């Protein structure tokens, strides 16, 4: 099984890059794709950039050039569900794109035309394997819905809306695009996100800056355990 792994930011990438053995790299349209081994697994790693368009472009390029068997998105997220705290770990059982809105045409919120779905479902076997890795590290991963959109979500109102409309526990900005790329290619995907911020009182930036690296390393650490590296 060859895994294609995408992170939005360098902070989410560094631990994985450090674990990559026999790394080779190739730059395509300005983005570097690394191939090599983590544990016994062949992987392709790339920093896709922030937001759904960046993520979709780089996921599709990765699929076409390197033909992975599955895509995994790893990184940080904002907590939406009450009670979520920085460093909590989320494994997505499904992902949606909360900012896609053709409701005036009669569609459900988040309905992605062309593929005609609201939710993209993570691969059950991958999810089980990742959950086992999280439990082995005593990280108590939470299996939940993750909502993607091209915005940093920090208000109580928006978080409540994502919970109510999509049943989302966490918000981030790439997973929905990566999930769609995998879906179109008929490939399994998984999403690992650790909470970097959950504040709704105007302190989200400070919280994010405090926790982003710790949260990123938690999410990446879970994946390394899955690969048998930790
Ligand atoms: N990534 C990390 N925190 C986030 C937030 N609050 N909203 C969107 N993406 C995020």
């Amino acid at each position: 099984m060859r895994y294609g792994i995408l992170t939005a930011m360098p902070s989410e990438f560094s631990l994985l890059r450090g674990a990559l053995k026999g790394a080779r790299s190739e730059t395509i349209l300005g983005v570097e794709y690394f191939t090599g081994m983590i544990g016994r697994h062949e992987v392709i790693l790339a920093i896709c950039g922030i937001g759904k368009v960046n993520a979709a472009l780089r996921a599709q390029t990765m699929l076409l050039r390197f033909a992975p068997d599955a895509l995994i998105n790893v990184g940080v997220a904002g907590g939406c569900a009450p009670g979520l705290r920085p460093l909590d770990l989320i494994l997505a059982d499904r992902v949606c794109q909360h900012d896609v809105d053709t409701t005036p045409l009669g569609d459900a919120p988040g309905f992605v035309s062309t593929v005609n779905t609201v939710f993209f479902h993570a691969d059950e076997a991958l999810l089980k394997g990742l959950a086992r890795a999280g439990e082995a590290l005593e990280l108590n991963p939470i299996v939940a819905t993750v909502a993607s959109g091209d915005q940093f979500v920090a208000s109580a109102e928006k978080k409540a809306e994502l919970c109510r409309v999509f049943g989302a526990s966490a918000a981030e900005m790439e997973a929905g695009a990566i999930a769609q790329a995998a879906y179109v290619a008929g490939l399994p995907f998984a999403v690992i996100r650790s909470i970097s911020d959950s504040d709704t009182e105007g302190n989200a930036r400070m919280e994010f800056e405090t926790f982003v690296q710790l949260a990123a390393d938690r999410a990446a650490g879970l994946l390394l355990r899955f690969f048998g590296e930790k």
Side-chain angles (χ1 to χ4, degrees):
M1 190 93 165
R2 277 152 62 85
Y3 293 95
I5 302 164
L6 293 143
T7 73
M9 302 182 293
S11 54
E12 299 166 315
F13 178 79
S14 52
L15 198 67
L16 298 169
R17 174 67 186 88
L20 188 67
K21 303 273 166 33
R24 297 165 73 102
S25 92
E26 184 174 335
T27 299
I28 306 172
L29 300 175
V31 173
E32 208 170 2
Y33 296 80
F34 295 87
T35 54
M37 304 290 289
I38 298 182
R40 283 172 290 107
H41 297 276
E42 232 182 293
V43 302
I44 307 115
L45 293 180
I47 302 173
C48 65
I50 295 170
K52 293 195 283 108
V53 174
N54 283 324
L57 289 170
R58 281 67 196 246
Q60 181 80 334
T61 300
M62 185 182 274
L63 290 173
L64 292 174
R65 172 67 185 89
F66 299 97
D69 303 305
L71 290 182
I72 303 181
N73 174 226
V74 195
V76 302
C80 293
L84 278 180
R85 294 282 167 268
L87 307 185
D88 284 348
L89 254 171
I90 307 278
L91 297 172
D93 55 354
R94 58 181 195 170
V95 176
C96 67
Q97 300 177 19
H98 67 78
D99 56 353
V100 174
D101 184 0
T102 50
T103 53
L105 303 179
D107 293 329
F111 181 81
V112 184
S113 296
T114 310
V115 289
N116 298 335
T117 190
V118 174
F119 294 104
F120 299 90
H121 295 272
D123 182 71
E124 277 182 29
L126 261 179
L127 186 55
K128 269 201 193 126
L130 292 168
R132 265 199 300 275
E135 277 146 25
L137 292 171
E138 298 186 352
L139 294 175
N140 302 318
I142 300 159
V143 176
T145 302
V146 169
S148 302
D150 287 324
Q151 53 191 265
F152 191 95
V153 176
S155 75
E157 294 72 29
K158 190 70 189 177
K159 289 185 179 191
E161 179 193 323
L162 297 184
C163 289
R164 178 171 40 80
V165 176
F166 299 105
S169 290
E172 47 68 69
M173 303 177 66
E174 298 81 24
I178 293 165
Q180 185 174 336
Y183 178 81
V184 167
L187 293 179
F189 78 91
V191 177
I192 310 165
R193 293 276 181 167
S194 179
I195 301 299
S196 55
D197 52 273
S198 59
D199 183 80
T200 53
E201 315 270 302
N203 300 312
R205 179 177 175 181
M206 201 181 68
E207 210 178 27
F208 177 84
E209 287 169 357
T210 303
F211 290 108
V212 63
Q213 190 62 62
L214 285 168
D217 287 348
R218 262 196 178 206
L222 189 153
L223 184 57
L224 291 183
R225 176 72 186 216
F226 174 75
F227 287 140
E229 269 295 275
K230 271 182 80 177

